[in-house]
Amino acid sequence: MGEKILVTGGTGYIGSHTVVELINEGFEVVIIDDLSNSSVDILDHIEKIVGTRPQFYQFDLCDQARLNDFFKKESDIKGIIHFAASKAVGESVIKPLLYYRNNITSLLNLMDCMQSHQINNLVFSSSCTVYGQPDELPVSERTPFKPAQSPYGNTKQICEEILRDVAQANQQYRLTALRYFNPVGAHPSGLIGELPTGTPNNLVPFITQTVAGLRDSLKVFGTDYDTPDGTAVRDYIHVVDLAKAHVITVNRLLNKKQNQGYEFFNLGTGNGYSVKQVIDAFEKSTGVSVKYTLADRRPGDIERIYANTKFANDVLGWKAELGLEEMMSSAWEWQKRTLS
């Protein structure tokens, strides 16, 4: 086995896909997840895909004592990918304290343990929400942060500021934030995908659950935005493309190709699609119609955002390869498998 990587939130949506890609690249993977938004069954599915079952620890990263004990036991970890966080924009508006406590405390605890155990390499799961509603599109890494539109977005801004300050104060660290745009789709095996607990907060699982008959209809939030068809525009990226970017970034950190300090990259396709365009792509790629109703805007949602990905393309040597219809068809195949 190769070097050992800790993946927090590794049974979650993006985490599980990244674990698969890490194992495929020869890494040994250890997962910490509290299973608050995932299932332990995902470990079985990962094992079916790659033939190896990652080590798994179930606890909350906000439990500092448990985390310290973990690092005493797993003393040979060379790098960390930190996904574990509360992640729903709408929920964060209703439960801000939950989001500030979970997302910021977990990172602080992790950084304390990194310092205590001389672990210098971290990839942080950030988000395009750090940009707020930008003045100009596409968004590049030089685009200044605007005020966050939600507590979730604000936690990502704060966490990135923490990483920047820690890197400035401690020269040994190599810390990278990857700012995702909108991850969708599922693994081509159909064995792992996005399976939110309760009512989905993201568009694509709401589409697939509606078509599967689990929801009465899809609500399209906001039809009066300043966009071509009035619905919100996002940059959707296939989760497998996203997972591969994490492996490239980990390799870059471990091979010391990143200078010591803090870096950040946008991960998207560079294309903006409206909610209606996503529905159309789903219907075209699957041959199944989507029942939807129109609703008012949701608090915390921004109007439109999409990425300039040149920096990630040039520096990481990474580029998104899978298109919107592939994202939709893979999401539907995953949803159908969960029903069988």
Side-chain angles (χ1 to χ4, degrees), residues 5-22 29-34 36-38 46 61 79-88 99 102-104 106-107 110 122-127 152 155-156 159 163 176-180 183 239-247 249-250 267:
I5 304 297
L6 166 63
V7 181
T8 74
T11 58
Y13 175 42
I14 305 170
S16 60
H17 286 81
T18 301
V19 167
V20 165
E21 299 301 326
L22 286 166
V29 176
V30 183
I31 294 171
I32 298 174
D33 201 305
D34 67 359
S36 60
N37 196 35
S38 61
I46 291 171
L61 293 177
I80 299 168
I81 304 179
H82 179 42
F83 292 109
S86 301
K87 64 172 189 173
Y99 275 68
N102 284 356
N103 295 5
I104 296 171
S106 61
L107 177 64
L110 205 56
L122 174 77
V123 182
F124 176 68
S125 169
S126 192
S127 164
Y152 167 76
T155 66
K156 293 300 183 182
C159 286
L163 294 175
T176 303
L178 299 179
R179 296 172 179 167
Y180 317 152
V239 67
V240 173
D241 279 333
L242 190 60
K244 289 177 178 178
H246 289 77
V247 179
T249 305
V250 165
L267 298 182

Side-chain angles (χ1 to χ4, degrees), residues 86-96 98-99 151-152 201 299:
S86 301
K87 64 172 189 173
V89 168
E91 183 185 53
S92 77
V93 175
I94 300 166
K95 301 178 180 179
L98 171 71
Y99 275 68
Y152 167 76
N201 287 285

Side-chain angles (χ1 to χ4, degrees), residues 20-320:
V20 165
E21 299 301 326
L22 286 166
I23 295 172
N24 282 338
E25 285 291 310
F27 287 101
E28 182 180 356
V29 176
V30 183
I31 294 171
I32 298 174
D33 201 305
D34 67 359
L35 301 181
S36 60
N37 196 35
S38 61
S39 166
V40 74
D41 296 342
I42 296 300
L43 297 171
D44 297 331
H45 300 174
I46 291 171
E47 186 173 12
K48 286 180 183 176
I49 295 170
V50 297
T52 301
R53 190 179 186 86
Q55 283 184 274
F56 175 69
Y57 294 81
Q58 182 183 349
F59 65 91
D60 186 338
L61 293 177
C62 292
D63 186 338
Q64 181 77 71
R66 285 288 301 274
L67 194 58
N68 279 323
D69 289 343
F70 166 84
F71 278 104
K72 288 175 185 175
K73 182 175 181 180
E74 299 288 347
S75 58
D76 53 347
I77 288 169
K78 301 300 182 186
I80 299 168
I81 304 179
H82 179 42
F83 292 109
S86 301
K87 64 172 189 173
V89 168
E91 183 185 53
S92 77
V93 175
I94 300 166
K95 301 178 180 179
L97 289 178
L98 171 71
Y99 275 68
Y100 287 114
R101 185 177 298 110
N102 284 356
N103 295 5
I104 296 171
T105 304
S106 61
L107 177 64
L108 291 174
N109 288 351
L110 205 56
M111 297 299 297
D112 279 339
C113 287
M114 287 176 66
Q115 186 169 327
S116 300
H117 297 272
Q118 288 81 53
I119 300 168
N120 299 328
N121 304 301
L122 174 77
V123 182
F124 176 68
S125 169
S126 192
S127 164
C128 65
T129 56
V130 297
Y131 295 111
Q133 180 59 67
D135 292 329
E136 295 183 2
L137 294 171
V139 171
S140 77
E141 287 80 359
R142 294 185 178 183
T143 300
F145 287 3
K146 300 287 287 293
Q149 300 285 86
S150 67
Y152 167 76
N154 200 27
T155 66
K156 293 300 183 182
Q157 288 186 351
I158 292 167
C159 286
E160 285 208 29
E161 289 165 358
I162 291 168
L163 294 175
R164 180 199 64 204
D165 293 346
V166 168
Q168 286 177 349
N170 300 278
Q171 296 301 312
Q172 75 269 26
Y173 286 121
R174 291 180 177 83
L175 311 175
T176 303
L178 299 179
R179 296 172 179 167
Y180 317 152
F181 280 65
N182 283 61
V184 296
H187 193 268
S189 66
L191 288 167
I192 53 174
E194 187 171 12
L195 189 63
T197 54
T199 303
N201 287 285
N202 297 330
L203 173 61
V204 174
F206 217 117
I207 290 174
T208 60
Q209 289 191 15
T210 299
V211 173
L214 302 176
R215 308 283 162 195
D216 290 336
S217 69
L218 167 71
K219 284 186 179 179
V220 175
F221 293 103
T223 57
D224 58 348
Y225 287 114
D226 184 18
T227 60
D229 60 25
T231 63
V233 168
R234 299 287 184 271
D235 184 339
Y236 295 90
I237 176 173
H238 199 296
V239 67
V240 173
D241 279 333
L242 190 60
K244 289 177 178 178
H246 289 77
V247 179
I248 291 169
T249 305
V250 165
N251 271 317
R252 189 164 179 268
L253 297 183
L254 295 180
N255 294 327
K256 301 183 179 178
K257 291 181 180 178
Q258 174 179 322
N259 293 328
Q260 288 166 323
Y262 171 58
E263 286 188 341
F264 42 89
F265 298 91
N266 287 340
L267 298 182
T269 63
N271 301 306
Y273 296 102
S274 73
V275 174
K276 286 184 178 177
Q277 286 176 312
V278 172
I279 293 170
D280 290 345
F282 181 88
E283 292 180 336
K284 182 178 178 183
S285 64
T286 65
V288 182
S289 61
V290 180
K291 180 182 178 183
Y292 65 90
T293 59
L294 306 179
D296 293 337
R297 300 183 186 191
R298 272 190 315 192
D301 280 347
I302 61 174
E303 182 168 276
R304 57 195 180 110
I305 192 166
Y306 54 94
N308 178 331
T309 63
K310 187 176 187 305
F311 189 51
N313 300 158
D314 293 347
V315 176
L316 296 179
W318 167 90
K319 187 175 178 63

